[in-house]
Structures are given as structure tokens and as C-alpha cells.
Amino acid sequence: MIWYPYEQMKTMKEPYKIVDAEGVYLYTQDKKMIDSVSSWWSVIHGYKNPVITQAIKEQADRFSHIMLGGLTHEPVERLSSKLAEFLPGDLDYCFFSDSGSVGVEVALKMALQYYVNKGDMKRTKVLALRHAYHGDTFKAMEVGDDEDYHFILEAYGEKKYTVHIPTEIPALEDAFLKYHNELNCFIVEPLLQGAGGMRMYDISFLKRARQLCDNYGILLIFDEVATGFGRTGNRFVADLVLPDIIVLGKALTGGHIGHAVTVANKKVYDGFYDNAQEKALMHGPTFMGNALACSAALRSIELFEQQDYMSKIRRIKQITRREMSGFTDERIKEVRIMGGCVCIEVYDSSVLDGYQQFAYEHGVFSRPFLNYLYAMVPYIITEDELVKVLSTMKMWFEKK
Ligand SMILES: *Cc1c(COP(=O)(O)O)cnc(C)c1O
């Protein structure tokens, strides 16, 4: 039997069984619904994108997978060149992995070893944000601050290697003053904290973080697994403030196959480049650089560029602003909009009980969590479809 994610299996509601998916639509046996979640924010071109599907088929006819240990192949070579060109600054050195969590693990290992390679063994701490989410593996969980994990992490007692701060400049400055000798990196979900509650904050915080990291020689990591490829209304937040390491996942392959990449700048790469074998990065997921995933990612990035996705995202933001303007309810704490993300935060999570089924009946798939009802739609959504997603959200409050 299947053990489903984030679910108490004893009380879990039956999942909707999907038999087909195309564009923004998921199909059950007797209903079609707009996926307002984009399959965990990844399916930016919609389902079954013909160009990406074709790329996968063509590659599958050659070979589906070849390990990168001692071997290489054209799709991974082309994707790494493409990423180097597509990403800002000297974020040029691509380490592939199979999921965002692993991509984060790799980034954190790079940051720690960067200093160990220099003989500095004291920089064992990571600075991270309150309400951060960086994935479900152990180190990712530790640098995260997800309420769902507090319960299990309690078994370990106080976190020794992570310092959490709110997204406020004075707290940032204090943390650097206090811990700068012990920190190897500052990791953030830039501008938009996703799973921690679609929390949005200002770019000035990241600009100050960049200055402080430079002053104290600490690495800045952007976990853009969720924010990358336009979700905040920027291609990457790294276009505005340049990190030393960026992690991409989710939308990397247009959501067609799981894959992630940790991209380092020259400074970080040079910290490993040496005659000494022990200074090498000791990591190598079995399926890193999978040929099907790389072929999908290449096509996905080409589509993103050729079809001017940034204008699609601007249009989503405009329509969302228009539809949500003036919408309030006494149960709503805040309505937040950034790029291709809208979130309604309610005071009491029970207000959202039953919403998923209500949305399903109205032809929309939604998955609220805690106090957050949100939409992160595929960028190819039409105006009518987007209005439907948003009006379903509003209707829930109006009907009660
Ligand atoms: C989803 C997510 C991850 C984890 O990615 P997986 O592919 O689920 O392992 C890491 N960081 C952020 C910001 C995410 O949103």
C-alpha cells in the first residue's frame, strides 16, 4: 500500500485519483479541475507540455540514464552550459541531484567544506530564517523552521548548528555581530518563504545580507527551489541580489521529472579546486544529471525564454491584484500577492476545513495548509481560468 506524504494515514481523506492531465487541467474519472497548486509549484508550463514530452521521448529512445561517475553525456553538458548562461553573475558550476532537498544538502555541505578546505574548522553554524522551509532531509529539516518538524526534532533537543532570525534587518545585523566567527553560510528562500506560509519580505533585507556576508566572508545561499523560474515576478531573485550558491528544483524540468541543481560561483568552486583528493566535494546521487531530466530541463528553459514567460507572470499578477482588490473578510488576516503567488492567511485554520472539497466541486484543485489558502498556478493559465481559481477562493468566504 502507498504511504502518502504529510498525512496521518488513519484519518486521511481519500486522494483524488487522476487519470489524465493536460495544460492546467487534472482529470479524474468524472471531473476536470484546474490545478491551482501546479503539482507543488513545479508544473509551470502545464501538464503534458508537447515540446517537453517530445524531448523526453527522443532522449528515451537514445538512453534514459547514465551515471556521471566517470561518464558524461550531451544533455547534461548542454544543460550546464545553458544554466551558466541563463543564471546571473558567475553562478556557473552546476552540481545536479534528484530533488530540492538533496540540492539543499549539497549547498550546505559545500558551504561547510569550503571553510574546512581552508583549514577553518570552527565555522559549523548556519544562519537561517524563522519559518524557513528547505526540504525534508535531515540537514534541510534542521536549517528549516517548519512547525511540522518541531515535534520530531524535539528528540534532538536544542539545535546546535542553526541560528534562526526573522526577516528584519536589525536581527540580521545582530546575528552577524554575534556569530560571524562561527557561521559558514546564510541560507534563505529569497523574497518568498513558501511552505513556511507564503511569507513575503523586502529586497532591502537581502541587499543588507549580501553586504554583511561580504564584510564577514560568509557564503550566501539562495534556496530558489520554489522561487526560481519566475514565481516571485523575477526570473530569479538572484537577478536582484547575487548569492554565492543557488539551488533550483521544482520548476527546473517544468515539473515533468524530478531533478535539482546546486549552482556555485567561481569563488566557491575554487575552494575545492586542488591537487588534494580530500578537498573534492564528496557527493554523488545515483541519478544526478539524469538524461531524461536534463533534456526536459533544457526544453523547459528554452520555452521560458522564447515564449516570454516573464510577461505571462506579470499578467497573472495583474489579474490577481484586480480580482483580489477590495476583498476582505473578518476571518482573513491578510491577502498577499507576489508575482505568480497569492495567499489568503486566515486567523483560524478551521476556517479552511472543507475548502478542498468545495474547490473540487467547483472544478479547482487546491491544497490549503495550516492557515494558508494559496494559489500558484501554471503560467500558461488563461484569464478565465485564473479568474475561476480566484473567485472560487472568494466564494468560500462569501457563502459562509
Ligand atoms: C520544495 C522545496 C524544497 C525541497 O524540494 P524537494 O524536491 O521536495 O526535495 C526545498 N526548498 C524549498 C524552498 C522548497 O520549496
Side-chain angles (χ1 to χ4, degrees):
M1 84 165 259
I2 302 166
W3 196 336
Y4 284 93
Y6 308 120
E7 293 287 356
Q8 172 47 267
M9 295 303 292
K10 187 169 178 183
T11 55
M12 179 180 117
K13 173 180 147 301
E14 186 77 1
Y16 303 112
K17 186 162 178 179
I18 301 306
V19 295
D20 198 1
E22 187 163 14
V24 296
Y25 291 100
L26 295 168
Y27 295 83
T28 59
Q29 204 54 257
D30 46 32
K31 211 164 171 67
K32 75 173 192 180
M33 48 183 171
I34 301 170
D35 182 1
S36 71
V37 182
S38 302
S39 268
W40 272 328
W41 327 336
S42 67
V43 187
I44 57 173
H45 313 284
Y47 293 97
K48 215 192 292 185
N49 177 279
V51 176
I52 297 176
T53 304
Q54 185 60 26
I56 294 170
K57 284 180 175 166
E58 282 171 13
Q59 184 55 42
D61 281 339
R62 282 180 221 113
F63 53 86
S64 296
H65 180 65
I66 283 173
M67 72 170 180
L68 285 194
L71 304 171
T72 196
H73 54 80
E74 193 182 316
V76 74
E77 287 175 344
R78 285 183 56 204
L79 178 58
S80 60
S81 312
K82 183 77 209 175
L83 284 167
E85 166 210 314
F86 193 58
L87 289 169
D90 61 348
L91 291 167
D92 291 344
Y93 302 88
C94 302
F95 193 97
F96 294 96
S97 57
D98 29 33
S99 73
S101 303
V102 177
V104 166
E105 297 283 339
V106 169
L108 294 170
K109 193 190 274 190
M110 274 179 186
L112 176 65
Q113 193 180 341
Y114 174 81
Y115 291 99
V116 171
N117 280 357
K118 290 183 189 302
D120 185 344
M121 308 297 279
K122 296 218 172 59
R123 294 186 176 273
T124 52
K125 279 194 168 63
V126 173
L127 185 62
L129 295 180
R130 206 169 276 169
H131 305 292
Y133 176 84
H134 294 294
D136 296 347
T137 53
F138 261 90
K139 192 69 188 177
M141 205 164 52
E142 191 191 311
V143 298
D145 178 33
D146 194 297
E147 288 173 39
D148 291 339
Y149 302 140
H150 289 168
F151 181 69
I152 161 179
L153 283 181
E154 255 174 42
Y156 281 152
E158 206 186 324
K159 289 186 185 182
K160 276 210 317 229
Y161 299 113
T162 310
V163 177
H164 290 288
I165 55 165
T167 49
E168 292 157 11
I169 291 176
L172 178 70
E173 291 173 341
D174 283 352
F176 272 88
L177 263 181
K178 194 160 170 207
Y179 297 108
H180 65 91
N181 285 326
E182 296 167 82
L183 293 174
N184 59 62
C185 70
F186 180 31
I187 185 168
V188 295
E189 294 161 88
L191 294 187
L192 172 64
Q193 298 184 276
M198 306 298 165
R199 290 161 197 270
M200 299 164 188
Y201 61 93
D202 196 74
I203 191 70
S204 57
F205 179 84
L206 295 173
K207 289 189 172 150
R208 185 70 185 123
R210 181 67 272 180
Q211 286 172 345
L212 289 164
C213 283
D214 288 342
N215 292 349
Y216 291 109
I218 290 158
L219 299 176
L220 181 60
I221 302 176
F222 279 6
D223 175 355
E224 294 222 43
V225 171
T227 56
F229 300 99
R231 194 51 78 180
T232 66
N234 306 286
R235 271 178 356 132
F236 301 96
V237 183
D239 288 333
L240 307 179
V241 170
L242 195 61
D244 298 291
I245 301 173
I246 187 171
V247 189
L248 306 175
K250 293 196 162 95
L252 175 64
T253 65
H256 282 57
I257 308 184
H259 221 62
V261 65
T262 306
V263 188
N265 66 6
K266 182 150 192 326
K267 170 177 146 174
V268 172
Y269 182 76
D270 283 347
F272 290 76
Y273 196 78
D274 201 276
N275 289 321
Q277 169 61 23
E278 68 269 19
K279 292 192 178 175
L281 179 64
M282 298 312 274
H283 211 99
T286 304
F287 293 106
M288 72 183 290
N290 173 267
L292 299 179
C294 289
S295 303
L298 259 171
R299 284 303 162 82
S300 173
I301 296 171
E302 283 166 13
L303 284 175
F304 194 94
E305 285 183 304
Q306 288 160 7
Q307 301 187 1
D308 191 11
Y309 269 56
M310 292 314 298
S311 75
K312 295 186 202 292
I313 297 158
R314 275 193 296 279
R315 193 195 47 130
I316 289 172
K317 185 180 77 181
Q318 280 157 8
I319 296 167
T320 307
R321 285 248 170 89
R322 184 191 76 207
E323 293 298 307
M324 300 313 272
S325 87
F327 172 65
T328 52
D329 185 280
E330 60 189 20
R331 292 158 294 181
I332 294 176
K333 187 172 171 197
E334 191 180 36
V335 178
R336 297 190 277 274
I337 299 167
M338 182 184 276
C341 173
V342 53
C343 176
I344 299 176
E345 179 175 350
V346 295
Y347 286 106
D348 181 350
S349 63
S350 69
V351 168
L352 304 177
D353 289 349
Y355 181 76
Q356 186 171 65
Q357 186 59 24
F358 173 83
Y360 174 75
E361 280 154 19
H362 287 81
V364 174
F365 176 68
S366 170
R367 196 169 187 278
F369 61 98
L370 305 172
N371 296 24
Y372 313 105
L373 171 58
Y374 75 95
M376 290 225 220
V377 295
Y379 300 149
I380 53 143
I381 198 164
T382 65
E383 175 160 358
D384 285 352
E385 289 161 344
L386 179 55
V387 167
K388 181 168 171 174
V389 168
L390 299 169
S391 57
T392 305
M393 291 164 88
K394 290 191 286 185
M395 247 167 15
W396 174 251
F397 292 92
E398 281 153 10
K399 89 178 174 66
K400 279 198 158 183

